[in-house]
Coordinates of all heavy atoms in Angstrom, one line a residue:
I4 N -7.6 19.4 -11.0 CA -8.1 18.4 -10.0 C -9.4 18.8 -9.6 O -9.6 19.9 -9.0 CB -7.1 18.2 -8.8 CG1 -5.7 17.7 -9.3 CG2 -7.7 17.2 -7.8 CD1 -4.7 17.5 -8.2
H5 N -10.4 18.0 -9.8 CA -11.8 18.3 -9.5 C -12.1 17.6 -8.2 O -12.2 16.3 -8.2 CB -12.7 17.9 -10.6 CG -14.2 18.0 -10.3 ND1 -14.8 19.3 -10.2 CD2 -15.1 17.1 -10.0 CE1 -16.0 19.1 -9.9 NE2 -16.3 17.8 -9.7
M6 N -12.3 18.3 -7.1 CA -12.6 17.6 -5.8 C -14.0 18.1 -5.4 O -14.2 19.2 -4.8 CB -11.6 18.0 -4.7 CG -10.2 17.5 -5.0 SD -10.0 15.8 -5.0 CE -10.2 15.4 -3.3
P7 N -15.0 17.4 -5.8 CA -16.4 17.8 -5.5 C -16.6 17.8 -4.0 O -16.1 17.0 -3.2 CB -17.3 16.7 -6.2 CG -16.4 15.6 -6.3 CD -15.0 16.1 -6.5
R8 N -17.6 18.7 -3.5 CA -17.9 18.8 -2.1 C -19.4 18.6 -2.0 O -20.2 19.1 -2.8 CB -17.6 20.2 -1.6 CG -16.1 20.5 -1.6 CD -15.5 19.9 -0.4 NE -14.1 20.2 -0.4 CZ -13.2 19.7 0.5 NH1 -13.6 19.0 1.4 NH2 -12.0 20.0 0.4
S9 N -19.8 17.9 -1.0 CA -21.3 17.7 -0.7 C -21.7 18.9 0.1 O -20.9 19.7 0.5 CB -21.5 16.4 0.0 OG -20.9 16.4 1.3
S10 N -23.0 19.0 0.4 CA -23.6 20.2 1.1 C -23.1 20.3 2.5 O -23.0 21.3 3.1 CB -25.1 20.1 1.1 OG -25.5 18.9 1.7
N11 N -22.6 19.1 3.1 CA -22.1 19.2 4.5 C -20.6 19.4 4.5 O -20.0 19.2 5.6 CB -22.5 18.0 5.3 CG -21.9 16.7 4.8 OD1 -21.1 16.7 3.8 ND2 -22.2 15.6 5.4
T12 N -20.0 19.8 3.5 CA -18.6 20.1 3.3 C -17.6 19.0 3.5 O -16.4 19.2 3.5 CB -18.1 21.3 4.2 OG1 -18.1 20.9 5.5 CG2 -19.0 22.6 4.0
R13 N -18.1 17.8 3.6 CA -17.2 16.6 3.6 C -16.9 16.2 2.2 O -17.7 16.4 1.3 CB -17.9 15.5 4.4 CG -17.9 15.7 5.9 CD -18.6 14.6 6.6 NE -18.3 13.3 6.0 CZ -19.0 12.2 6.3 NH1 -20.0 12.3 7.1 NH2 -18.7 11.1 5.8
T14 N -15.7 15.7 2.0 CA -15.4 15.3 0.6 C -16.3 14.2 0.1 O -16.5 13.2 0.8 CB -13.9 14.8 0.6 OG1 -13.1 15.9 1.1 CG2 -13.5 14.5 -0.8
A15 N -16.8 14.3 -1.0 CA -17.7 13.3 -1.7 C -16.8 12.2 -2.2 O -15.6 12.3 -2.3 CB -18.5 14.0 -2.8
P16 N -17.4 11.0 -2.5 CA -16.7 9.9 -3.0 C -15.9 10.3 -4.3 O -16.3 11.2 -5.0 CB -17.8 8.8 -3.3 CG -18.9 9.2 -2.5 CD -18.8 10.7 -2.3
A17 N -14.9 9.6 -4.6 CA -14.0 9.9 -5.7 C -14.8 10.0 -7.0 O -14.4 10.8 -7.9 CB -12.9 8.8 -5.9
T18 N -15.9 9.3 -7.2 CA -16.5 9.4 -8.5 C -17.7 10.4 -8.5 O -18.3 10.6 -9.6 CB -17.1 8.0 -8.9 OG1 -18.0 7.6 -7.8 CG2 -16.0 7.0 -9.1
A19 N -18.0 11.0 -7.4 CA -19.1 11.9 -7.4 C -18.8 13.2 -8.2 O -17.7 13.7 -8.2 CB -19.5 12.3 -5.9
G20 N -19.8 13.7 -8.8 CA -19.7 15.0 -9.5 C -18.9 14.8 -10.9 O -18.6 15.8 -11.5
S21 N -18.6 13.7 -11.3 CA -17.9 13.5 -12.5 C -18.6 12.4 -13.3 O -18.7 11.3 -12.8 CB -16.5 13.1 -12.2 OG -15.8 12.8 -13.4
Q22 N -19.0 12.6 -14.5 CA -19.7 11.7 -15.3 C -18.8 10.5 -15.7 O -19.3 9.3 -15.8 CB -20.2 12.3 -16.6 CG -21.3 13.3 -16.4 CD -21.7 14.0 -17.7 OE1 -21.0 14.0 -18.7 NE2 -22.9 14.6 -17.7
D23 N -17.5 10.6 -15.8 CA -16.7 9.5 -16.2 C -15.9 9.0 -15.0 O -15.1 8.1 -15.2 CB -15.7 9.9 -17.3 CG -14.8 11.1 -17.0 OD1 -14.9 11.6 -15.8 OD2 -14.0 11.5 -17.8
G24 N -16.1 9.5 -13.8 CA -15.4 8.9 -12.6 C -14.0 9.4 -12.5 O -13.2 8.9 -11.7
V25 N -13.5 10.3 -13.3 CA -12.2 10.8 -13.3 C -12.1 12.1 -12.5 O -12.8 13.0 -12.7 CB -11.6 11.0 -14.7 CG1 -10.2 11.6 -14.7 CG2 -11.6 9.7 -15.5
I26 N -11.2 12.1 -11.5 CA -11.0 13.3 -10.7 C -9.9 14.2 -11.4 O -10.1 15.4 -11.5 CB -10.6 13.0 -9.3 CG1 -11.7 12.2 -8.6 CG2 -10.2 14.2 -8.5 CD1 -11.3 11.7 -7.2
V27 N -8.8 13.6 -11.7 CA -7.7 14.4 -12.3 C -7.9 14.4 -13.8 O -8.0 13.4 -14.5 CB -6.4 13.7 -12.0 CG1 -5.2 14.5 -12.6 CG2 -6.2 13.7 -10.5
R28 N -8.0 15.6 -14.4 CA -8.3 15.7 -15.8 C -7.1 15.7 -16.7 O -7.2 15.3 -17.9 CB -9.1 17.0 -16.1 CG -10.4 17.1 -15.4 CD -11.4 16.3 -16.1 NE -12.6 16.2 -15.4 CZ -13.5 15.3 -15.6 NH1 -13.3 14.3 -16.5 NH2 -14.6 15.3 -14.9
G29 N -6.0 16.2 -16.3 CA -4.8 16.3 -17.1 C -4.2 14.9 -17.5 O -4.0 14.1 -16.6
R30 N -4.0 14.7 -18.7 CA -3.5 13.4 -19.2 C -2.1 13.1 -18.5 O -1.8 12.0 -18.1 CB -3.4 13.4 -20.7 CG -2.9 12.0 -21.3 CD -3.0 12.1 -22.8 NE -2.4 10.9 -23.4 CZ -3.0 9.8 -23.6 NH1 -4.2 9.6 -23.3 NH2 -2.3 8.8 -24.2
A31 N -1.2 14.1 -18.5 CA 0.1 13.9 -17.9 C 0.0 13.6 -16.4 O 0.7 12.7 -15.9 CB 1.0 15.1 -18.1
A32 N -0.9 14.3 -15.7 CA -1.1 14.1 -14.3 C -1.6 12.7 -14.0 O -1.2 12.0 -13.1 CB -2.0 15.1 -13.7
R33 N -2.6 12.2 -14.9 CA -3.1 10.9 -14.7 C -2.0 9.8 -15.0 O -2.0 8.8 -14.3 CB -4.3 10.6 -15.7 CG -5.5 11.4 -15.3 CD -6.8 10.9 -16.1 NE -6.6 10.8 -17.5 CZ -6.9 11.7 -18.4 NH1 -7.4 12.8 -18.0 NH2 -6.7 11.5 -19.7
G34 N -1.2 10.1 -15.9 CA -0.1 9.2 -16.2 C 0.9 9.1 -15.0 O 1.4 8.0 -14.7
V35 N 1.2 10.2 -14.4 CA 2.1 10.3 -13.3 C 1.5 9.5 -12.1 O 2.1 8.7 -11.4 CB 2.5 11.7 -12.9 CG1 3.1 11.8 -11.5 CG2 3.3 12.4 -13.9
L36 N 0.2 9.7 -11.8 CA -0.5 9.1 -10.7 C -0.6 7.5 -11.0 O -0.4 6.7 -10.1 CB -1.9 9.6 -10.5 CG -1.9 11.0 -9.9 CD1 -3.3 11.6 -10.0 CD2 -1.4 10.9 -8.4
A37 N -0.8 7.2 -12.2 CA -0.8 5.7 -12.6 C 0.6 5.1 -12.3 O 0.7 4.0 -11.8 CB -1.2 5.5 -14.0
G38 N 1.6 5.9 -12.8 CA 3.0 5.4 -12.5 C 3.3 5.3 -11.0 O 3.9 4.3 -10.6
L39 N 2.9 6.3 -10.3 CA 3.1 6.2 -8.8 C 2.3 5.0 -8.2 O 2.9 4.3 -7.4 CB 2.6 7.5 -8.2 CG 2.8 7.7 -6.7 CD1 4.2 7.6 -6.3 CD2 2.1 9.0 -6.2
R40 N 1.1 4.8 -8.7 CA 0.3 3.6 -8.2 C 1.1 2.3 -8.5 O 1.2 1.5 -7.6 CB -1.1 3.6 -8.9 CG -1.9 2.4 -8.5 CD -3.3 2.5 -9.2 NE -3.2 2.7 -10.7 CZ -3.0 1.7 -11.5 NH1 -2.7 0.5 -11.2 NH2 -3.0 2.0 -12.8
I41 N 1.6 2.2 -9.7 CA 2.3 1.0 -10.1 C 3.6 0.8 -9.3 O 3.9 -0.3 -8.8 CB 2.5 1.0 -11.6 CG1 1.2 0.8 -12.3 CG2 3.5 -0.1 -12.0 CD1 1.2 1.1 -13.8
L42 N 4.3 1.9 -9.0 CA 5.5 1.8 -8.2 C 5.2 1.4 -6.8 O 6.0 0.6 -6.2 CB 6.3 3.2 -8.3 CG 7.0 3.5 -9.5 CD1 7.5 5.0 -9.5 CD2 8.1 2.5 -9.8
V43 N 4.2 2.0 -6.2 CA 3.8 1.6 -4.9 C 3.4 0.1 -4.8 O 3.9 -0.7 -4.0 CB 2.7 2.5 -4.3 CG1 2.1 1.9 -3.0 CG2 3.1 3.9 -4.1
G44 N 2.7 -0.3 -5.8 CA 2.3 -1.7 -5.9 C 3.5 -2.6 -6.0 O 3.6 -3.7 -5.3
W45 N 4.4 -2.3 -6.9 CA 5.6 -3.1 -7.0 C 6.5 -3.1 -5.8 O 7.2 -4.1 -5.5 CB 6.4 -2.7 -8.3 CG 7.5 -3.6 -8.6 CD1 8.8 -3.4 -8.6 CD2 7.4 -5.0 -9.0 NE1 9.6 -4.5 -8.9 CE2 8.7 -5.5 -9.2 CE3 6.3 -5.9 -9.2 CZ2 9.0 -6.8 -9.6 CZ3 6.6 -7.2 -9.6 CH2 7.9 -7.6 -9.8
T46 N 6.5 -2.0 -5.1 CA 7.3 -1.9 -3.8 C 6.8 -2.9 -2.8 O 7.6 -3.4 -2.0 CB 7.1 -0.4 -3.2 OG1 7.7 0.5 -4.2 CG2 7.8 -0.3 -1.9
F47 N 5.6 -3.3 -2.9 CA 5.0 -4.4 -2.0 C 5.1 -5.8 -2.6 O 5.3 -6.7 -1.9 CB 3.6 -4.0 -1.5 CG 3.7 -2.9 -0.5 CD1 3.7 -1.6 -0.9 CD2 3.7 -3.2 0.9 CE1 3.8 -0.5 0.1 CE2 3.8 -2.2 1.8 CZ 3.8 -0.8 1.4
L48 N 4.8 -5.9 -3.9 CA 4.7 -7.2 -4.5 C 6.1 -7.8 -4.6 O 6.2 -9.0 -4.4 CB 4.0 -7.1 -5.9 CG 3.8 -8.5 -6.5 CD1 2.8 -9.3 -5.6 CD2 3.2 -8.3 -7.9
W49 N 7.1 -7.0 -4.9 CA 8.5 -7.6 -5.0 C 8.9 -8.2 -3.7 O 9.4 -9.4 -3.8 CB 9.5 -6.5 -5.5 CG 10.8 -7.1 -5.5 CD1 11.8 -6.8 -4.6 CD2 11.3 -8.1 -6.4 NE1 12.9 -7.6 -4.9 CE2 12.7 -8.4 -6.0 CE3 10.8 -8.7 -7.5 CZ2 13.5 -9.3 -6.6 CZ3 11.6 -9.7 -8.1 CH2 12.9 -9.9 -7.7
P50 N 8.9 -7.6 -2.6 CA 9.3 -8.3 -1.4 C 8.5 -9.5 -1.1 O 9.0 -10.5 -0.5 CB 9.3 -7.3 -0.2 CG 8.6 -6.1 -0.8 CD 8.5 -6.2 -2.3
F51 N 7.2 -9.5 -1.4 CA 6.4 -10.7 -1.3 C 7.0 -11.9 -2.1 O 7.2 -13.0 -1.6 CB 5.0 -10.5 -1.7 CG 4.2 -11.8 -1.8 CD1 3.6 -12.3 -0.6 CD2 4.0 -12.4 -3.0 CE1 2.9 -13.5 -0.7 CE2 3.3 -13.6 -3.1 CZ 2.8 -14.2 -1.9
L52 N 7.3 -11.6 -3.3 CA 7.8 -12.6 -4.2 C 9.2 -13.1 -3.7 O 9.5 -14.3 -3.7 CB 7.9 -12.1 -5.7 CG 6.6 -11.8 -6.3 CD1 6.8 -11.1 -7.7 CD2 5.8 -13.1 -6.5
D53 N 10.1 -12.2 -3.3 CA 11.4 -12.5 -2.9 C 11.4 -13.3 -1.6 O 12.1 -14.3 -1.5 CB 12.2 -11.2 -2.7 CG 13.7 -11.5 -2.4 OD1 14.3 -12.4 -3.1 OD2 14.3 -10.9 -1.5
K54 N 10.5 -12.9 -0.7 CA 10.4 -13.7 0.6 C 9.7 -15.0 0.4 O 10.1 -16.0 1.1 CB 9.7 -12.8 1.7 CG 10.5 -11.6 2.1 CD 9.7 -10.7 3.0 CE 10.5 -9.4 3.3 NZ 11.9 -9.5 3.4
M55 N 8.8 -15.1 -0.4 CA 8.0 -16.3 -0.6 C 8.9 -17.4 -1.3 O 8.9 -18.5 -0.9 CB 6.8 -16.1 -1.5 CG 5.9 -17.3 -1.8 SD 5.3 -18.1 -0.3 CE 4.0 -17.1 0.2
F56 N 9.6 -17.0 -2.4 CA 10.3 -17.9 -3.2 C 11.9 -17.8 -3.0 O 12.6 -18.6 -3.7 CB 10.0 -17.7 -4.7 CG 8.5 -17.9 -4.9 CD1 7.7 -16.8 -5.2 CD2 7.9 -19.1 -4.8 CE1 6.4 -16.9 -5.4 CE2 6.5 -19.3 -5.0 CZ 5.8 -18.2 -5.3
G57 N 12.4 -16.9 -2.2 CA 13.8 -16.8 -2.0 C 14.6 -16.5 -3.3 O 15.4 -17.4 -3.7
L58 N 14.3 -15.4 -4.0 CA 14.9 -15.1 -5.3 C 16.3 -14.7 -5.2 O 16.9 -14.5 -6.2 CB 14.0 -14.0 -6.0 CG 12.5 -14.4 -6.2 CD1 11.8 -13.2 -6.8 CD2 12.4 -15.7 -7.0
G59 N 16.9 -14.6 -4.0 CA 18.3 -14.3 -3.8 C 18.6 -12.9 -3.7 O 19.8 -12.5 -3.7
F60 N 17.6 -12.0 -3.6 CA 17.9 -10.6 -3.4 C 18.0 -10.3 -2.0 O 19.1 -10.2 -1.4 CB 16.9 -9.7 -4.2 CG 17.0 -9.9 -5.7 CD1 16.3 -10.9 -6.3 CD2 17.8 -9.0 -6.4 CE1 16.5 -11.0 -7.7 CE2 17.9 -9.1 -7.8 CZ 17.3 -10.1 -8.4
A61 N 16.9 -10.0 -1.3 CA 17.0 -9.8 0.2 C 16.8 -11.2 0.9 O 17.1 -11.3 2.1 CB 15.8 -8.9 0.6
T62 N 16.3 -12.2 0.2 CA 16.0 -13.5 0.9 C 16.7 -14.6 0.1 O 16.5 -14.7 -1.1 CB 14.5 -13.8 0.9 OG1 13.8 -12.6 1.5 CG2 14.2 -15.0 1.7
K63 N 17.6 -15.3 0.8 CA 18.2 -16.4 0.1 C 17.2 -17.6 -0.1 O 16.2 -17.7 0.7 CB 19.4 -16.9 1.0 CG 20.5 -15.9 1.1 CD 21.6 -16.4 2.0 CE 22.6 -15.3 2.1 NZ 23.6 -15.6 3.1
T64 N 17.5 -18.4 -1.1 CA 16.6 -19.5 -1.4 C 16.2 -20.4 -0.2 O 15.0 -20.7 0.0 CB 17.2 -20.4 -2.5 OG1 17.5 -19.5 -3.6 CG2 16.2 -21.5 -3.0
E65 N 17.2 -20.7 0.6 CA 16.9 -21.6 1.7 C 16.1 -20.9 2.8 O 15.5 -21.6 3.7 CB 18.2 -22.2 2.3 CG 19.2 -21.1 2.8 CD 20.2 -20.6 1.7 OE1 20.0 -21.0 0.5 OE2 21.1 -19.8 2.1
A66 N 16.0 -19.6 2.8 CA 15.3 -18.8 3.8 C 13.9 -18.5 3.3 O 13.1 -17.8 4.0 CB 16.0 -17.6 4.2
A67 N 13.5 -18.9 2.2 CA 12.2 -18.6 1.6 C 11.0 -19.2 2.4 O 11.2 -20.2 3.1 CB 12.1 -19.2 0.2
V68 N 9.9 -18.5 2.4 CA 8.7 -19.0 3.1 C 8.4 -20.4 2.6 O 8.0 -21.3 3.4 CB 7.5 -18.1 2.9 CG1 6.3 -18.6 3.5 CG2 7.9 -16.7 3.6
I69 N 8.5 -20.7 1.3 CA 8.1 -22.0 0.8 C 9.1 -23.1 1.3 O 8.8 -24.3 1.2 CB 8.0 -22.1 -0.7 CG1 9.4 -21.7 -1.4 CG2 6.9 -21.2 -1.2 CD1 9.5 -22.0 -2.9
H70 N 10.2 -22.7 1.9 CA 11.2 -23.7 2.5 C 11.2 -23.6 4.0 O 12.1 -24.1 4.6 CB 12.6 -23.4 1.9 CG 12.7 -23.6 0.5 ND1 13.8 -24.1 -0.1 CD2 11.8 -23.4 -0.5 CE1 13.6 -24.2 -1.5 NE2 12.4 -23.8 -1.7
G71 N 10.1 -23.0 4.5 CA 10.0 -22.9 6.0 C 10.6 -21.7 6.7 O 10.6 -21.6 7.9
G72 N 11.0 -20.7 5.9 CA 11.6 -19.5 6.4 C 10.6 -18.6 7.0 O 9.4 -18.7 6.6
S73 N 11.0 -17.7 7.9 CA 10.1 -16.7 8.5 C 10.5 -15.3 7.9 O 11.6 -14.9 8.0 CB 10.3 -16.7 10.0 OG 9.6 -15.5 10.5
P74 N 9.5 -14.6 7.3 CA 9.8 -13.3 6.8 C 9.9 -12.2 7.9 O 10.3 -11.1 7.6 CB 8.6 -13.0 5.9 CG 7.5 -13.8 6.5 CD 8.1 -15.0 7.0
T75 N 9.5 -12.5 9.1 CA 9.5 -11.5 10.2 C 10.6 -11.7 11.2 O 11.1 -10.8 11.9 CB 8.2 -11.4 10.9 OG1 7.9 -12.6 11.6 CG2 7.1 -11.1 10.0
A76 N 11.1 -12.9 11.4 CA 12.0 -13.2 12.5 C 13.3 -12.5 12.4 O 13.8 -11.8 13.4 CB 12.2 -14.8 12.6
G77 N 14.0 -12.6 11.3 CA 15.3 -12.0 11.1 C 15.2 -10.5 11.3 O 16.1 -9.9 12.1

Side-chain angles (χ1 to χ4, degrees):
I4 299 178
H5 175 73
M6 297 295 288
R8 298 278 180 181
S9 64
S10 60
N11 66 359
T12 69
R13 289 178 36 196
T14 302
T18 59
S21 175
Q22 291 177 341
D23 60 2
V25 174
I26 295 172
V27 178
R28 297 283 176 202
R30 183 174 171 88
R33 287 194 313 265
V35 167
L36 286 168
L39 182 62
R40 175 179 55 79
I41 291 165
L42 284 173
V43 170
W45 188 246
T46 297
F47 285 86
L48 189 59
W49 174 254
F51 169 82
L52 294 170
D53 188 45
K54 290 174 187 328
M55 179 61 76
F56 302 108
L58 301 177
F60 290 87
T62 307
K63 295 178 181 171
T64 303
E65 58 274 6
V68 171
I69 61 169
H70 296 216
S73 169
T75 63

